[in-house]
């Protein structure tokens, strides 16, 4: 329990920025170190209760990422929301506008809610599945 | 220019909360009063440079909304991000997880970036268009 909101915000900022940077440089173990137990992840395409499972797809995802542009980062005592654009090398996806909400428990990330328009992903995933069939 | 971040955050909170409440109770003029000029709106389904155009679709949208659940509201000096669930009466859409980023200029909302998964909307809009054809 943090009694000083300023200190809480600074701590939330530190852990979320550490996660964000580690994740986009593909450093799975540094990213995992910021996640708590229990952990819950949800996005339009998947949900997971496992930090390990959540990070398992990171390497494949990063192969299509050409850049990340932060639009907004706002921090609360035990939460944060980042808004950013992910530039991808997949023309059908293009730039993915993304919002990511973090809930912190005991100084670690206990829940991530990722929000983006998954519309273009469905066609891309179908094409990928067809290519492997 | 706000020199006191606390005062800036309180002002951002006041205008964004006023917009959010007016919008979901269908009060177009109260919502419009919080928007600046110029104004820019973007979502996965549309973009607009006009506050009037942006609010023109509100009444139709509210007809399918059965409830709104705030998940997170975070405020900065000249920005805010809300994360909320919109419960709808359309089974194909269900609950729409939404993030909304606001940029404020001169005490009013100058830009809104709405982020949600538009996947189910495409089928719903096609069905609506087909029904009107």
């Amino acid at each position: 329990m943090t009694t000083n909101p300023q200190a809480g915000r600074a701590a939330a900022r530190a852990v979320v920025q550490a996660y964000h940077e580690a994740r986009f440089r593909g450093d799975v173990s540094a990213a995992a170190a910021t996640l708590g137990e229990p952990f819950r992840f949800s996005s339009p395409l998947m949900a997971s209760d496992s930090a390990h499972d959540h990070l398992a797809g990171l390497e494949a995802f990063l192969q299509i990422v050409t850049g990340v542009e932060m639009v907004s980062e706002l921090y609360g005592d035990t939460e944060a929301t980042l808004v950013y654009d992910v530039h991808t090398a997949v023309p059908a996806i293009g730039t993915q506008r993304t919002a990511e909400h973090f809930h912190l428990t005991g100084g670690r990330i206990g829940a991530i809610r990722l929000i983006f328009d998954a519309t273009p992903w469905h066609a891309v995933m179908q094409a990928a599945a067809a290519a492997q069939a």
Side-chain angles (χ1 to χ4, degrees), chain A residues 31-52:
Chain A
T34 67
L35 305 181
E37 174 57 42
F39 170 76
R40 178 149 187 75
F41 172 81
S42 72
S43 85
L45 296 174
M46 64 189 83
S48 172
D49 287 327
S50 151
H52 178 268

Side-chain angles (χ1 to χ4, degrees), chain A residues 33-78:
Chain A
T34 67
L35 305 181
E37 174 57 42
F39 170 76
R40 178 149 187 75
F41 172 81
S42 72
S43 85
L45 296 174
M46 64 189 83
S48 172
D49 287 327
S50 151
H52 178 268
D53 290 356
H54 165 56
L55 292 168
L58 183 61
E59 196 181 327
F61 176 62
L62 289 179
Q63 285 179 6
I64 65 159
V65 173
T66 57
V68 179
E69 218 171 312
M70 189 65 80
V71 173
S72 167
E73 37 183 331
L74 290 169
Y75 302 92
D77 199 8
T78 58

Side-chain angles (χ1 to χ4, degrees), chain A residues 14-131:
Chain A
V15 70
V16 169
Q17 284 183 343
Y19 170 80
H20 181 73
E21 284 159 22
R23 172 249 312 253
F24 275 114
R25 72 169 183 264
D27 187 339
V28 169
S29 62
T34 67
L35 305 181
E37 174 57 42
F39 170 76
R40 178 149 187 75
F41 172 81
S42 72
S43 85
L45 296 174
M46 64 189 83
S48 172
D49 287 327
S50 151
H52 178 268
D53 290 356
H54 165 56
L55 292 168
L58 183 61
E59 196 181 327
F61 176 62
L62 289 179
Q63 285 179 6
I64 65 159
V65 173
T66 57
V68 179
E69 218 171 312
M70 189 65 80
V71 173
S72 167
E73 37 183 331
L74 290 169
Y75 302 92
D77 199 8
T78 58
E79 61 169 337
T81 303
L82 306 183
V83 178
Y84 53 90
D85 287 338
V86 181
H87 302 290
T88 79
V90 179
I93 294 171
T95 295
Q96 178 175 289
R97 297 194 148 183
T98 307
E100 190 166 19
H101 178 258
F102 300 85
H103 188 261
L104 281 78
T105 308
R108 291 195 176 197
I109 297 166
I112 296 178
R113 175 191 287 238
L114 198 65
I115 303 174
F116 60 89
D117 180 12
T119 302
W121 279 96
H122 298 287
V124 168
M125 289 186 303
Q126 276 185 341

